[in-house]
Amino acid sequence: MPKNEKFEQRQPLQEGQEFPLTIKRIGINGEGIGYFKRQAVFVEGALPGEVIVGQVEEVKRNRAIASIKYIREASPSRQKAPCPVYKICGGCQLQHAEYDEQLWMKQDLVLQSFERYAPFVPEIRETIGMENPWRYRNKSQWQTGEGKKGRVEAGLYSSDSNQLVDLTNVGCMVEKSILNKITKAITVFMKDEEVPVHTSKQKGVKTIVVRANEQKSEVQVTLVTSSVDLPEQEELVDFLRSSFAEIKSIHHHVQNESSPTVFGGTTRRLWGKDTIKYNMQDFSFHLSPEAFFQLNSEQASTLYDEAKKAAKLTGREKVVDAYCGSGTIGLWMSSDAKEVRGMDMIKASIQDANKNAKQAGASHARFYHGKAEEMMLQWQRENWSPDVVVADPPRTGCGEALLNTIGKVKPKRFVYVSCNPSTLAKDAAYLKKAGYHPEYAQPVDMFPQTSQVEAVVPFVYKPEKKGKK
């Protein structure tokens, strides 16, 4: 039998076909998942427990993608999304679900990942949410574009497309309102002063980045351009200073690569301070434009508290903060640690981290520019090894090199702070082979209204005895 013919016989659904479907779970991108004749069907906008009539949009080898034709039985948690551009923006995926339901779905996402990618499932605790799940993002990064009659637009690209959704008039409901106001004002200035935006035909402003501290008393503005020059920069600085007293730092970043990455070039200060200051509990953190910092300051305290609990420090431990950024997690643990060392590949972040350590009076905390997997092995050769390693890696996970280093250095505890349940579970399976066992997984909702979920998982080193399988 020809391969294609055999494949067709396995597929019970055809494009355009309408069929009833009960939604069982939520997917990592916020879509509902149901099963039709054992075939997984992904339906954007559907919620667990709903019975819908779907229409097949695309049939793939291991799944089908469908849209909602109509809902037969709606979830009691379904609500009307309050954002006017919710369906076309794609920045949020779960506004159509009540917040308690979102928290349950995120707990289930962590569970699903362990069930699929790991040979074990630890205790998955209930997701820790927010009292007010709106206006929590402290940083906006809006791309620019040309609208009708020379109007400057700024916003986000719709999911899986190059269509820019202009947010200048509607704003973003999960970002602090001051960010929206400043970004809109910049777009008006750019139109009035004919400051070019970046297109395939011309160089200009690519991204408007605005960051505010929790108290909104300090705001940092960075204009990212594809050109070395920023037209009308003096006029722009004067305009921002006179319009917004909260702005304390204005920068220009040149990123002329054809890459979706916002930063990656050179930064120069146009006016004000090099950094702005965030206050979190007893700590102050100074952040330069490129420095990583949690986008949800309120929940960051919760996340770091959970990481500290997971580390079980007694004051005698040597701690490594891999992917340290501006040193937030390492400094958060420093009061209960004998020594803290951290590392990161972004030099500006390391400069901020050491400045933050000095201000906090944490003389036993040092931060270094370099790769965690290389530096820990170097320190081991110098007879220094950590008792606890904490890692907050990007969505791609820790990477094989770092996991191999963990297996060689053998800290007593490894605290994994994950922003991607799938890579967390895959890395957990790898860690188990190195003798590390998870105690539990604690989901934390850092991004309400979206399908993203963070999780803190403490791993304990318990090597199997020889002769035991």
Side-chain angles (χ1 to χ4, degrees):
M1 180 182 295
K3 185 176 180 181
N4 289 344
E5 184 179 340
K6 185 177 180 181
F7 169 66
E8 290 297 329
Q9 286 190 359
R10 291 203 305 265
Q11 305 304 312
L13 293 171
Q14 303 294 325
E15 288 187 13
Q17 178 181 343
E18 295 182 13
F19 62 103
L21 185 70
T22 299
I23 305 301
K24 300 293 186 181
R25 310 185 93 163
I26 200 76
I28 58 172
N29 296 314
E31 66 276 81
I33 302 176
Y35 298 88
F36 186 81
K37 297 182 180 179
R38 297 184 179 180
Q39 184 178 14
V41 183
F42 290 70
V43 187
E44 184 178 346
L47 295 175
E50 293 188 325
V51 179
I52 70 164
V53 171
Q55 184 171 36
V56 180
E57 302 293 335
E58 186 178 2
V59 178
K60 299 191 176 184
R61 182 167 295 274
N62 60 349
R63 67 190 186 281
I65 298 172
S67 59
I68 299 175
K69 193 73 177 176
Y70 60 89
I71 300 174
R72 283 184 176 175
E73 297 178 23
S75 165
S77 299
R78 177 174 284 278
Q79 65 178 10
K80 182 180 179 181
C83 176
V85 294
Y86 172 60
K87 290 186 177 180
I88 62 171
C89 173
C92 297
Q93 302 83 39
L94 299 179
Q95 283 191 21
H96 60 292
E98 293 179 352
Y99 189 52
D100 286 346
E101 179 76 358
Q102 291 183 30
L103 297 179
W104 172 83
M105 288 191 289
K106 295 187 180 193
Q107 180 186 17
D108 188 57
L109 281 174
V110 178
L111 173 62
Q112 287 184 63
S113 294
F114 274 95
E115 288 178 338
R116 181 174 183 181
Y117 297 114
F120 52 83
V121 179
E123 173 196 357
I124 311 294
R125 298 181 176 178
E126 292 184 1
T127 308
I128 300 174
M130 298 186 70
E131 184 176 344
N132 178 17
W134 301 96
R135 298 291 181 196
Y136 58 84
R137 288 181 69 104
N138 56 42
K139 182 181 180 182
S140 68
Q141 296 184 161
W142 289 11
Q143 310 302 316
T144 62
E146 284 186 327
K148 295 180 180 179
K149 297 181 180 180
R151 180 173 176 269
V152 177
E153 296 181 343
L156 304 174
Y157 285 107
S158 183
S159 298
D160 301 320
S161 80
N162 59 359
Q163 177 190 354
L164 184 67
V165 179
D166 183 24
L167 300 177
T168 52
N169 288 328
V170 298
C172 176
M173 297 182 66
V174 296
E175 294 180 352
K176 295 186 181 300
S177 56
I178 186 65
L179 308 181
N180 297 174
K181 291 177 183 177
I182 292 174
T183 304
K184 180 177 180 178
I186 292 173
T187 63
V188 172
F189 173 89
M190 288 175 60
K191 180 183 182 302
D192 292 344
E193 301 298 326
E194 298 183 348
V195 177
V197 301
H198 175 79
T199 67
S200 58
K201 298 179 180 179
Q202 68 182 19
K203 292 184 178 295
V205 177
K206 298 173 71 174
T207 313
I208 301 170
V209 183
V210 186
R211 178 186 248 169
N213 64 5
E214 190 60 29
Q215 298 76 24
K216 292 176 280 191
S217 59
E218 294 192 6
V219 174
Q220 184 178 72
V221 175
T222 305
L223 277 296
V224 181
T225 70
S226 55
S227 57
V228 176
D229 297 322
L230 176 59
E232 309 296 332
Q233 69 175 43
E234 292 183 5
E235 291 80 2
L236 175 60
V237 168
D238 290 342
F239 167 72
L240 291 175
R241 290 180 61 189
S242 62
S243 302
F244 300 95
E246 303 93 337
I247 295 178
K248 308 296 183 185
S249 174
I250 304 175
H251 289 74
H252 173 214
H253 182 87
V254 180
Q255 214 287 51
N256 53 20
E257 299 292 331
S258 56
S259 166
T261 305
V262 173
F263 294 104
T266 57
T267 301
R268 63 188 179 97
R269 180 174 57 85
L270 300 180
W271 173 84
K273 301 190 296 183
D274 290 327
T275 62
I276 60 172
K277 184 171 70 172
Y278 276 78
N279 294 318
M280 288 175 54
Q281 293 189 14
D282 297 330
F283 295 94
S284 294
F285 299 102
H286 293 266
L287 304 177
S288 56
E290 297 175 63
F292 170 78
F293 193 75
Q294 291 289 349
L295 296 173
N296 186 335
S297 312
E298 181 180 338
Q299 283 292 83
S301 297
T302 301
L303 185 71
Y304 297 159
D305 282 344
E306 290 300 322
K308 191 172 182 178
K309 288 179 192 175
K312 291 188 177 179
L313 301 175
T314 65
R316 299 188 295 270
E317 291 82 7
K318 292 175 286 185
V319 177
V320 161
D321 179 6
Y323 306 100
C324 70
S326 52
T328 48
I329 296 180
L331 291 175
W332 209 263
M333 296 185 174
S334 62
S335 60
D336 293 328
K338 178 181 179 181
E339 183 180 357
V340 174
R341 295 186 183 185
M343 65 285 286
D344 200 281
M345 289 299 295
I346 299 176
K347 285 185 178 181
S349 294
I350 294 302
Q351 292 170 354
D352 291 343
N354 282 311
K355 184 176 181 180
N356 294 333
K358 183 177 181 180
Q359 179 167 304
S363 58
H364 61 309
R366 293 282 190 278
F367 298 93
Y368 304 84
H369 177 245
K371 294 181 179 180
E373 56 267 27
E374 296 175 359
M375 301 199 77
M376 280 194 284
L377 291 176
Q378 176 186 328
W379 292 338
Q380 186 182 50
R381 291 191 292 269
E382 297 169 356
N383 295 318
W384 190 97
S385 296
D387 303 293
V388 177
V389 173
V390 56
D392 184 5
R395 291 187 62 79
T396 51
C398 285
E400 192 172 318
L402 178 58
L403 295 175
N404 281 334
T405 296
I406 295 298
K408 293 175 182 177
V409 175
K410 295 181 174 58
K412 296 174 184 176
R413 298 182 75 82
F414 177 59
V415 179
Y416 198 136
V417 182
S418 166
C419 61
N420 186 336
S422 297
T423 53
L424 164 65
K426 292 174 184 177
D427 288 352
Y430 198 99
L431 285 164
K432 189 174 187 300
K433 296 177 183 177
Y436 285 88
H437 301 263
E439 291 185 322
Y440 59 84
Q442 176 60 69
V444 179
D445 189 19
M446 298 291 291
F447 302 102
Q449 318 310 328
T450 79
S451 59
Q452 296 181 54
V453 58
E454 305 254 341
V456 176
V457 182
F459 290 85
V460 182
Y461 184 58
K462 294 180 181 178
E464 294 184 355
K465 294 181 180 179
K466 289 185 179 180
K468 242 187 170 184
K469 289 187 178 180

